[in-house]
Amino acid sequence: KGALLNKIGVFDPPADPPERSEQLRDDRPLHPSPARSIDKDLWRGLANVAVKEDDPFMKDGGTDYAPQSTTTSIKVALMYSKFTVDGASPVLLRIRNKGFRTQAADVGYLSCFPTEEERLYPPLTFFRPKGAPLHFAYQGTAFTIVNVRPSFPS
């Protein structure tokens, strides 16, 4: 109570807090840091998915009705794709950005795990494969990498 009274005993209401949108806007850097380059590759780990070279996805590409969560860290994508059943090979989508038009939204400040550097693509983002899938083994698990280019619905 005493903090709200001015020197002559009259109540001074506290200043209105800034709107939440203004706070978010003021906290963001004016220029992206080099570590957050828009041309950086993003990774999406998929478990329980089998991708073959004659798969329709490899020929035509595909989309999802849900937002697509990605990361800048291949280690995080490996962790999310590692757990499979029925012998399916985990798949890593390597998303090749080319400029700001295909950039995903940085949602790290909303994440429960900010060290995962999460980037989010909107629903119906179309991923078109580029080249043949690559196969490799990591810690005893066989993985498939598919290079894709994103495009947004118009």
Side-chain angles (χ1 to χ4, degrees):
K1 272 186 167 181
L4 297 176
L5 297 177
N6 67 15
K7 291 181 183 176
I8 58 172
V10 178
F11 176 74
D12 279 334
D16 290 334
E19 295 294 322
R20 181 69 181 139
S21 61
E22 290 176 24
Q23 288 176 340
L24 289 176
R25 217 172 323 160
D26 292 341
D27 292 342
R28 285 188 249 161
L30 295 176
H31 303 287
S33 67
R36 295 183 181 215
S37 169
I38 59 176
D39 290 334
K40 186 181 270 190
D41 288 343
L42 298 176
W43 298 91
R44 177 166 172 79
L46 304 172
N48 299 318
V49 176
V51 174
K52 299 177 180 132
E53 291 188 34
D54 60 344
D55 191 280
F57 173 77
M58 291 304 299
K59 180 182 173 207
D60 302 322
T63 189
D64 196 346
Y65 293 115
Q68 300 286 321
S69 178
T70 64
T71 179
T72 59
S73 169
I74 189 172
K75 289 180 181 180
V76 172
L78 285 168
M79 179 185 68
Y80 278 104
S81 65
K82 191 174 180 177
F83 305 103
T84 61
V85 294
D86 298 332
S89 175
V91 175
L92 293 174
L93 295 181
R94 182 181 184 187
I95 302 160
R96 309 300 305 258
N97 282 313
K98 285 293 183 183
F100 74 95
R101 289 184 175 205
T102 58
Q103 184 179 7
D106 181 355
V107 293
Y109 67 98
L110 298 172
S111 179
C112 292
F113 309 101
T115 58
E116 291 182 0
E117 296 188 33
E118 184 179 7
R119 307 290 192 273
L120 197 63
Y121 279 101
L124 300 177
T125 298
F126 186 79
F127 291 114
R128 181 176 305 280
K130 297 292 182 185
L134 308 168
H135 305 281
F136 77 100
Y138 177 73
Q139 293 183 348
T141 304
F143 288 88
T144 302
I145 294 180
V146 179
N147 291 311
V148 296
R149 296 237 190 243
S151 61
F152 299 119
S154 48

